[in-house]
Amino acid sequence: MAAYLQWRRFVFFDRETVKEPAGPDGGAAGGGKPYALPPGVTVCDSGRGSLVFGDMEGQIWFLSRSLQLSSFQAYKLRVTHLHQLKQHSILASVGEDEEGINPLVKVWNLEKRYGGNPFCTRIFQAIPGNKPTVVSCLTVHENLNFMAIGFADGSVVLTEGDITQDRHSKTQILHEGNYPVTGLAFRQSGKITHLFVVTTENIQSYMLSGKEYPRLELDTRGCGLRCSTLSDPSQDLQFIVAGNECVYLYQPDERGPCFAFEGQKLIVHWYRGYLIIVSKDRKSSPKSEFAGSDTQNSDKQILNVYDLCNKFIAYSSVFDDVVDVLAEWGSLYVLTRDGKIHALQEKDTQTKLEALGLEKSIAMEKTLRKTQDENGLKNRVIRVGTRKSQLARIQTDSVVEMLRKRYLNLHFEIVAMSTTGDKILDTALSKIGEKSLFTKELENALERNEVDLVVHSLKDLPTSLPPGFTIGAICKRENPHDAVIFHPKNYEETLNSLPEKSVIGTSSLRRAAQLKRRFPHLEFRDIRGNLNTRLKKLDEKEDFSAIILAAAGLRRMGWENRIGQILNPEDCLYAVGQGALAVEVRARDEEILDMVSALHDGETVLCCIAERAFMRHLEGGCSVPVAVSTMLKDSQLYLTGAVYSLDGSDSLKDTMQTDVNYPQQNEEGPNDNTQYVGITAKNIPRHAQEAAENLGVELASLLLSKGAKRILNVARQLNDAR
């Protein structure tokens, strides 16, 4: 047992009261007044870029980072429980539509709208065995396959299957007991799922991966409501239960260590390697039940931020009557009963190290760092952003697996989200007019510190990134060429042998322009959707004789057997960056930047620098047909680049080469964070990166001198007019 009074105390967080936003002209519209929460808030949660509140009037509120408040009527009477999924735009709620004990569970899809409000995908009564009883707690598994509801009569109801739909799930009473259920938490380790159940008097775990759901009692002590939480992998995903004398940690099969943190616990949360505990301040006098709303009569409560691994208190402060503590946008937010929001922003690593230096403790300094290997990321869960598509997840999994092999003691969490390009499926990409179709939402999450890095297909990233971002790694390139997938009736054909007027599906102006020129007997038509959708359109209909896709994506999906023809450069040059995966990070996040830089593949980086420089100097994009092909051989970097009219009848194409003296590395990479077309690569010689960038610029300049600007301008105008 460790006594917290012996632990050192630091001030590793800055506290600030959230103020009303400035007016549209930059003036203080709110006069710098503290931001006020909606009245009557009964329950809170956070996730997906918002703080979420439920109130006594049945409304659910969303507060954005810019302090824009929106709401909708979720229940006729009141909202009692909320659970916002972190990796999905799904919100589960419990509330009441009529008087009496008749709680209703509603599941909301926040990305779909019905009558202007989030779409309610499911409604069902939260009553165990038709016995009216009060709901005490709610939790949902991030995989959307489990939901658990705890009740004051000691019951736990488990929903298994797709929790967003009635038809694809089943509900049963998992647990019955004599004591009120005060906390629930799902724990996922590999393929094994456990559910922790804590009551006022005991703790048990259920293994949900088997058929019988075996139960194990872990302890004969419990805790109050909101006094339990699940740690992240830095603390081995342990279930934390806070009693008034000690805090206990549990694995699914045993009790772990305990800590002597005294005081009446009121709220417990876990945040990025820290244990957050709100306790009753022993110095404050008991609040009278007849006390008014004057803040002088409110309860004083103390918030402590503990680092259990390194055994110190990272922050401590007194608040008036805490409603809850939420984590979002890379910060903690303490909500108090007077309607105020207090932001706690963690200080940067250097400041924390300086504080430790004042303590003259080298050993403590070594253990403070939030990373374990060379870059200091211990106890920090690395959150990796990605698109939701199957291909994006496969690509992201491959990058995370490479990082895991290099950094055995780090923990990674994948956060999937939809982008603009994923949502707009009825318009050709070249017509949408947005430069960051598949990256904007991911970059927003990166900017808000909701994720630490983002995995992209490099071809989706503009050649000029938004300020504050950089490409920290480019992984070894997969086959960059395009592939032809034929309709089953044409599996023995090639593009050249297909009948006259055969229709070929492609969403790329680049592919269509080149192939119209090369195969004038074919017709080309736009096709949208992810790989699965496009293949389904090909196979199940007679609209297309074949479709064109990137070979790299097909191989990563394990669908190489569908490839009927690989298009060589003579038939079709590929897109800038095609086949390469990029890891985008915050440019000033040195720890993450250093960590991901180990994934750089030198040859791929130099080829892609040349390609991106060529594209940027031409001012190209997905709305004009620009194509490339690169090769690094015997220290010579070769770049072929071309521009085309939309119908392929007009084109310019040329090839240049330069000596990059790579991989003979006689020079170190840049010692600063110099970017070459948005790429930071300290481990690749500066002269090689400069030579690659100059090659791209010089080839673009050559084509521009021959009339490329005219071809591209006409292509843009015609595309806009279509």
Side-chain angles (χ1 to χ4, degrees), residues 559-587:
W559 295 340
E560 292 177 83
N561 62 318
R562 290 302 308 269
I563 297 177
Q565 181 181 356
I566 293 288
L567 297 176
N568 59 44
E570 288 71 34
D571 291 330
C572 189
L573 299 177
Y574 45 81
V576 168
Q578 185 162 307
L581 299 181
V583 181
E584 188 178 16
V585 302
R586 292 180 290 273

Side-chain angles (χ1 to χ4, degrees), residues 24 55 287:
D55 69 13
K287 181 178 178 181

